[in-house]
């Protein structure tokens, strides 16, 4: 059954490098599963949390919320999973089950969301986590574990708004930022049927953006090309962490268009365009459980393939540095040594 101690990597204070940290497994509740982790992706949000950007981090802090592993123990009330099942777990590991949003099946908006994260008490840069079995998703058998890991956060973060806004009046999208989230957003948007324009300040990403499925690439510093795109898009999806010219992004939206944020950039814009053109600026947080399952099936069916660098989990600080320096192409997944490097699960 469950190992007696969990070995993780924890920050002991704000902005600190991670250090090996072992702890007793949290108690296994009736509806919980313990997941023995083989892979965990590195997300910008992990680094924000190490730096206490959101003001909710408790130290010692074990990051990690793009988790794949096998169920190693299941509570008595778990009926849909059994020991040995390969599952993915994202940022949300539980929900209160009582509030208005949980009743509506929109658990990502649960009023008790802060203590619901996989980080509480400790996250996926570790040998195992304990979560509510309803938030551990069975994975398609042919999907490699490192691919599934990245889909658990970066994948759902972009699939959820792209699928929600796709419709009769919304067939043309600008994806801002071609990084961990953006390179997946381009693939999902193309597969959903959007005409896709990728906008990035990294000119060298043009060829890859087109290969991911963009119909066109625009250099974010090319003011003339951006001016020509004025009033062009129903939807602008911001997948960049910062460095965005918000007035330009509003200018390329059609009237009543929508700008969706998927990360946590600081937003600064004038209200004139918002009011006079009836624009919407909104956010999208994770996705509900139904959308998570739909996303996994869609990604498998349509061959959505994140670009991944694999690194052994003990090199977690090198991985974090690569993400901090914006060098990851495009997502780093940490692998437990026992899991065997890049072998696709099957
Ligand atoms: Zn994330
Ligand atoms: Zn709730």
């Amino acid at each position: 059954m469950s190992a007696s101690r969990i070995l993780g990597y924890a920050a002991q204070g704000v902005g600190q490098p991670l250090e090996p940290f072992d702890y007793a497994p949290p108690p296994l509740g009736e509806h919980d599963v313990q997941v023995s982790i083989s892979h965990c992706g590195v997300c910008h949000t992990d680094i924000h949390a190490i730096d206490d950007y959101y003001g909710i981090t408790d130290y010692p802090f074990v990051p990690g919320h793009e988790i794949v592993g096998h169920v190693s123990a299941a509570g008595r009330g778990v009926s849909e999973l059994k020991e040995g099942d390969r599952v993915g777990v994202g940022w949300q590991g539980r929900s209160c089950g009582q509030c208005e949003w949980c009743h509506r099946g929109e658990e990502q908006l649960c009023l008790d969301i802060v203590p619901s994260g996989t980080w509480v008490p400790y996250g996926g840069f570790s040998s195992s986590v304990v979560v509510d079995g309803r938030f551990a998703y069975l994975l398609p058998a042919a999907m490699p574990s490192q691919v599934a890991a990245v889909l658990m956060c970066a994948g759902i973060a972009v699939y959820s708004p792209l699928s929600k806004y796709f419709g009769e009046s919304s067939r043309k999208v600008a994806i801002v930022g071609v990084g961990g989230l953006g390179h997946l957003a381009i693939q999902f948007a193309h597969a959903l049927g959007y005409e896709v324009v990728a906008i990035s300040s990294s000119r060298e990403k043009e060829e890859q953006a087109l290969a991911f499925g963009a119909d066109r690439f625009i250099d974010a510093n090319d003011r003339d090309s951006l001016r020509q795109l004025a009033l062009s898009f129903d939807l602008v999806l911001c997948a960049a962490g910062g460095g965005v010219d918000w007035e330009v992004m509003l200018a390329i939206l059609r009237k009543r268009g929508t700008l969706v944020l998927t990360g946590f950039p600081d937003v600064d814009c004038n209200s004139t365009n918002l009011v006079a053109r009836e624009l919407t600026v909104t956010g999208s947080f994770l996705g509900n459980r139904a959308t998570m399952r739909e996303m996994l099936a869609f990604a498998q069916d349509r061959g959505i393939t994140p670009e991944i660098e694999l690194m052994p989990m003990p090199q977690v600080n090198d991985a974090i540095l690569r993400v901090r320096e914006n060098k990851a192409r495009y997502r780093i997944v940490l692998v437990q040594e026992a899991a065997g490097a890049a072998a696709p699960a099957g």
Side-chain angles (χ1 to χ4, degrees), residues 58 61 69 75 98 101-102 110 127 130-131 147 159 162 164 185 194 208 224-225 246 328 339 345-346:
D58 282 325
F61 170 63
Q98 321 260 320
W101 299 99
C102 285
C110 176
S127 54
V130 173
V131 298
V147 169
Y159 176 81
L162 285 168
K164 174 177 164 183
Y194 282 100
Q208 276 192 297
D224 286 342
S225 295
W246 300 103

Side-chain angles (χ1 to χ4, degrees), residues 244-324:
V244 176
D245 185 330
W246 300 103
E247 297 303 338
V248 169
M249 294 312 139
L250 295 182
I252 64 176
L253 278 172
R254 282 154 50 89
K255 293 200 176 191
R256 290 199 175 154
T258 304
L259 168 64
V260 187
L261 310 174
T262 55
F264 297 89
D266 292 324
V267 180
D268 179 19
C269 58
N270 183 298
S271 61
T272 309
N273 274 324
L274 285 181
V275 175
R277 289 168 42 223
E278 298 193 359
L279 303 178
T280 301
V281 177
T282 185
S284 181
F285 185 54
L286 313 175
N288 63 29
R289 289 158 62 231
T291 309
M292 192 72 118
R293 287 189 291 265
E294 179 187 301
M295 180 273 301
L296 285 167
F298 184 86
Q300 177 62 22
D301 186 47
R302 304 303 294 270
I304 303 293
T305 315
E307 294 266 316
I308 293 166
E309 298 178 19
L310 290 170
M311 293 177 74
M313 197 170 285
Q315 290 178 23
V316 59
N317 287 310
D318 296 335
I320 287 171
L321 197 61
R322 279 185 72 72
V323 177
R324 280 192 190 277

Side-chain angles (χ1 to χ4, degrees), residues 1-8 21-26 34 36 122 126-129:
M1 291 288 281
S2 56
S4 53
R5 302 286 289 177
I6 296 176
L7 174 62
F21 173 64
D22 76 284
Y23 45 97
Q34 181 160 10
S36 176
Y122 301 119
S126 64
S127 54
S128 94
V129 284

